[in-house]
Amino acid sequence: MFMNALSGQSAAPQDATSLQGRSGLIENGGTARRLQPAAPERPVLPSFSDLEVVEDAEAGVLWQYMAPRGRPSFTLNLLGEMTATLDYISRRAAFEGACPFEFVVTGSRLPGIYNLGGDLASFMELIRAGDRAGLLHYARACVDGQHRRATNLNLPICTISLVQGDALGGGFECALADDVIIAERSAKFGLPEILFGLFPGMGAYSFLSRRVSPAYAERLILSGRVYSAEEMHEAGIVDVLVEDGEGESGVHDFIRRERRQLRTRRALQRIRERVHPVSHEELVDITEVWVDSALTLGEPELRRMARLAAAQDRRVRD
């Protein structure tokens, strides 16, 4: 018998299970045979509470619709569910050896609203508590997903935002991270953060600067204005403008056109990322500036933020 060096007690004899765990071998009538590893299981899409995901396998399209139960903003729960969808796409691509989706579309189930931006109620609480770590945690949850979508998960996919209502603050930033923005004519876009002394810190400047000049991006951020979809289309920010009620058919039409030139678009995506890269480090660095700025806000700015949050709540009730 072997003795345990630490306890001085006799070591238990090794059984087949322990041998298998160490070497992948198991005894069989005096000879060893190697066990084959279990086949990986096909990834399964999780259940969500604030997000609806529809897979169109035949068309190679994954649709994710934001459907938050409360204020139509980016809560940590909604961010987590959108991240889980990205994880699912990556796992499916690894499992199948190729991505089953050519297009990933982000839309909303809320009539007249795409997304109204950051979780202002949470911001106010964290700012008043001086909770820098909490603000950074939220900001990085945002930009981690933004960067993954902006770089197409390093897969040959095209990301599309379908905007059928108001895309404000972080909602606008979310759309900007995608390759293509398709908007219905009544949709509105804006970055209202300047109204309470802050700026959009989850990629607005970085992504706008890939679509328009930096000077125009700054004017848009500093104006605090709400812009029509037509204005954004004329500026080159909205790629496709469709009539109200025709958003989803507009996406299908775009996909049919794109399939004829998909190879060219993928090449252009690679070129754009080479010429105008948006690195994860850049986005994270900007969140540091955003957090430091947020922590300087005083009660007058926080009261203006509270009024905006109340207006968002009224939109949901109405």
Side-chain angles (χ1 to χ4, degrees), residues 99-140:
C99 188
F101 309 109
E102 293 178 294
F103 299 89
V104 177
V105 184
T106 300
S108 170
R109 287 301 194 201
L110 300 178
I113 298 174
Y114 177 76
N115 191 283
L116 300 183
D119 187 352
L120 299 183
S122 177
F123 291 173
M124 289 184 289
E125 181 179 341
L126 294 169
I127 291 167
R128 286 190 169 113
D131 189 347
R132 190 174 193 277
L135 287 167
L136 270 176
H137 174 70
Y138 177 90
R140 290 188 177 170

Side-chain angles (χ1 to χ4, degrees), residues 52-270:
E52 179 184 335
V53 178
V54 179
E55 299 179 68
D56 185 344
E58 184 177 350
V61 182
L62 182 140
W63 301 75
Q64 61 171 354
Y65 295 96
M66 294 177 281
R69 294 161 294 173
R71 183 179 297 136
S73 302
F74 282 113
T75 62
L76 282 172
N77 188 69
L78 177 57
L79 289 169
E81 292 183 354
M82 294 180 76
T83 296
T85 303
L86 298 178
D87 292 340
Y88 169 73
I89 296 168
S90 295
R91 290 197 304 270
R92 281 286 303 275
F95 177 80
E96 298 182 19
C99 188
F101 309 109
E102 293 178 294
F103 299 89
V104 177
V105 184
T106 300
S108 170
R109 287 301 194 201
L110 300 178
I113 298 174
Y114 177 76
N115 191 283
L116 300 183
D119 187 352
L120 299 183
S122 177
F123 291 173
M124 289 184 289
E125 181 179 341
L126 294 169
I127 291 167
R128 286 190 169 113
D131 189 347
R132 190 174 193 277
L135 287 167
L136 270 176
H137 174 70
Y138 177 90
R140 290 188 177 170
C142 291
V143 299
D144 286 351
Q146 289 281 80
H147 185 258
R148 292 177 71 189
R149 288 168 52 235
T151 54
N152 306 100
L153 297 172
N154 294 316
L155 294 170
I157 61 175
C158 175
T159 56
I160 301 171
S161 270
L162 170 59
V163 182
Q164 296 172 290
D166 291 355
L168 304 179
F172 192 3
E173 290 179 295
C174 175
L176 287 168
D178 283 336
D179 296 317
V180 177
I181 300 176
I182 298 175
E184 293 188 354
R185 192 170 293 276
S186 64
K188 298 289 191 297
F189 298 82
L191 299 168
E193 288 84 353
I194 191 68
L195 302 179
F196 47 80
L198 208 50
F199 68 93
M202 315 308 168
Y205 188 90
S206 299
F207 296 127
L208 278 170
S209 297
R210 296 173 75 176
R211 294 173 177 266
V212 296
S213 71
Y216 186 87
E218 289 186 23
R219 287 201 303 273
L220 196 153
I221 290 170
L222 292 171
S223 73
R225 270 192 56 201
V226 174
Y227 295 82
S228 69
E230 189 168 356
E231 287 177 291
M232 293 291 91
H233 184 244
E234 290 173 355
I237 294 171
V238 166
D239 299 283
V240 180
L241 185 64
V242 299
E243 297 303 319
D244 290 350
E246 298 181 4
E248 290 195 359
S249 62
V251 171
H252 288 297
D253 290 343
F254 173 83
I255 288 174
R256 279 193 293 271
R257 293 194 305 270
E258 282 301 296
R259 283 217 161 90
R260 295 194 292 267
Q261 53 187 11
L262 201 55
R263 186 177 300 155
T264 301
R265 173 169 285 279
R266 287 172 179 168
L268 286 173
Q269 286 173 351
R270 293 175 62 190

Side-chain angles (χ1 to χ4, degrees), residues 304-318:
R304 288 196 289 273
M305 190 184 294
R307 285 196 291 271
L308 187 55
Q312 293 177 351
D313 288 338
R314 286 195 297 273
R315 287 288 304 275
V316 178
R317 291 195 298 271
D318 297 341

Side-chain angles (χ1 to χ4, degrees), residues 253-298:
D253 290 343
F254 173 83
I255 288 174
R256 279 193 293 271
R257 293 194 305 270
E258 282 301 296
R259 283 217 161 90
R260 295 194 292 267
Q261 53 187 11
L262 201 55
R263 186 177 300 155
T264 301
R265 173 169 285 279
R266 287 172 179 168
L268 286 173
Q269 286 173 351
R270 293 175 62 190
I271 292 169
R272 182 183 63 199
E273 289 167 7
R274 177 67 180 86
V275 176
H276 299 295
V278 177
S279 69
H280 185 259
E281 181 182 15
E282 173 184 324
L283 296 175
V284 169
D285 286 348
I286 291 170
T287 66
E288 297 272 355
V289 180
W290 180 84
V291 168
D292 290 340
S293 298
L295 289 172
T296 67
L297 298 181

